[in-house]
Amino acid sequence: MENRSETEYFVLAAYGDVGEFKYLYFSIMLLWFVSIWVVNVVLILVIYIDKQLHEPMYIFLCNLSVTEISGSTSLYPLMLSQMLSDTHRVTVPFCFLQMSYIYTSASVEFCSLAAMAYDRYVAICHPLQYSLIMSTGRVCKIILAVWGYSFFTFLVLLLFLIHLDLCGNVINKVFCDYYRIIQLACSVSLILTVIVPFSLILFLVVPFSLILFSYLKILAVCLKVSKENTEKAVSTCMPQIVS
């Protein structure tokens, strides 16, 4: 058995099933990766150029686009290189680095959706105070808080993961996944069994709860107003629904 001090790399075993279709999969994934970049860069440029789009909702959309670019860049280049490789090895530091980018980007995306839901809640439920509550300075602080919260969420888990003693180095996935690494641990401490669920609560439950709260408030307002105002409220939520 190996322990972590002797482990210099992880093997991403899921690539073993690619076989003779690797060039086809490579082409599809490359096209998808380029598409993600093109679509999100164009969206950012359009919002940047059009002064009429310099509103909180579209600033949050820009942040989502940056997150998509960051998350895809942490995943697809390694995936593409591994498809054409025969060894499917990644070093331990790189594996933890990729994991940090992927999960932080995913957390930022969830939290950004929560911020966008809050923005729609303020726009619909407090329209007269909207410009005061959702000022440019406030929006920038929300975005910074989203990134800081997301980084902290995964940092807590990462600090425990890097000190695990591992009895293996084979990850049956196409990227470095914290849950698979925990499964490789020689023993899992009681504190880690608490930290992992707690991190998941911070990662998923908190932003989802904020989204649910905001839209329940919006729904409550919609049920009290006329059909015309209800349609207007729905139209203001469309950018987030589409995203």
Side-chain angles (χ1 to χ4, degrees):
M1 289 291 193
E2 293 181 296
N3 59 33
R4 189 180 176 282
S5 62
E6 299 169 346
T7 301
E8 297 179 354
Y9 60 87
F10 290 109
V11 177
L12 301 177
Y15 289 102
D17 299 328
V18 175
E20 60 185 15
F21 295 104
K22 64 181 181 180
Y23 293 108
L24 174 62
Y25 294 150
F26 177 87
S27 301
I28 294 173
M29 289 297 102
L30 178 60
L31 179 61
W32 186 251
F33 177 51
V34 172
S35 299
I36 291 173
W37 261 84
V38 171
V39 169
N40 285 285
V41 169
V42 169
L43 179 61
I44 292 171
L45 289 176
V46 168
I47 294 174
Y48 175 77
I49 294 171
D50 191 343
K51 302 298 183 181
Q52 293 183 340
L53 299 180
H54 292 185
E55 298 180 359
M57 173 57 71
Y58 295 101
I59 295 174
F60 287 132
L61 280 176
C62 272
N63 186 52
L64 271 180
S65 293
V66 171
T67 304
E68 287 286 336
I69 292 172
S70 173
S72 62
T73 302
S74 65
L75 176 63
Y76 285 94
L78 175 65
M79 185 184 295
L80 292 169
S81 66
Q82 288 294 321
M83 283 182 181
L84 301 181
S85 174
D86 295 325
T87 58
H88 311 308
R89 294 180 178 180
V90 291
T91 62
V92 172
F94 184 87
C95 193
F96 281 105
L97 180 64
Q98 184 196 43
M99 205 163 35
S100 300
Y101 270 96
I102 289 176
Y103 285 100
T104 298
S105 297
S107 179
V108 168
E109 187 164 348
F110 282 125
C111 292
S112 294
L113 291 175
M116 292 168 71
Y118 173 74
D119 173 73
R120 293 302 84 196
Y121 157 72
V122 175
I124 295 170
C125 300
H126 304 282
L128 299 179
Q129 298 175 297
Y130 178 75
S131 58
L132 178 63
I133 298 175
M134 298 303 294
S135 63
T136 302
R138 177 72 60 83
V139 171
C140 292
K141 289 178 181 178
I142 291 175
I143 291 175
L144 287 174
V146 163
W147 280 91
Y149 175 85
S150 301
F151 178 76
F152 170 78
T153 300
F154 186 73
L155 180 62
V156 172
L157 180 60
L158 183 63
L159 290 175
F160 286 93
L161 288 179
I162 60 179
H163 292 99
L164 281 178
D165 289 325
L166 304 180
C167 291
N169 67 342
V170 178
I171 301 175
N172 191 26
K173 223 166 186 183
V174 296
F175 65 94
C176 295
D177 178 45
Y178 79 91
Y179 181 69
R180 299 289 183 178
I181 292 178
I182 291 174
Q183 289 181 322
L184 296 176
C186 300
S187 62
V188 179
S189 64
L190 178 61
I191 191 170
L192 190 58
T193 61
V194 174
I195 291 296
V196 173
F198 178 70
S199 298
L200 289 177
I201 290 173
L202 293 177
F203 181 77
L204 291 174
V205 177
V206 172
F208 179 77
S209 298
L210 291 174
I211 293 172
L212 185 62
F213 171 81
S214 297
Y215 279 107
L216 285 176
K217 286 289 188 179
I218 292 172
L219 180 61
V221 170
C222 289
L223 293 176
K224 296 178 182 178
V225 299
S226 64
K227 181 180 179 181
E228 181 181 351
N229 288 334
T230 300
E231 291 175 351
K232 187 182 295 185
V234 172
S235 67
T236 65
C237 297
M238 283 307 295
Q240 182 171 6
I241 295 173
V242 172
S243 67

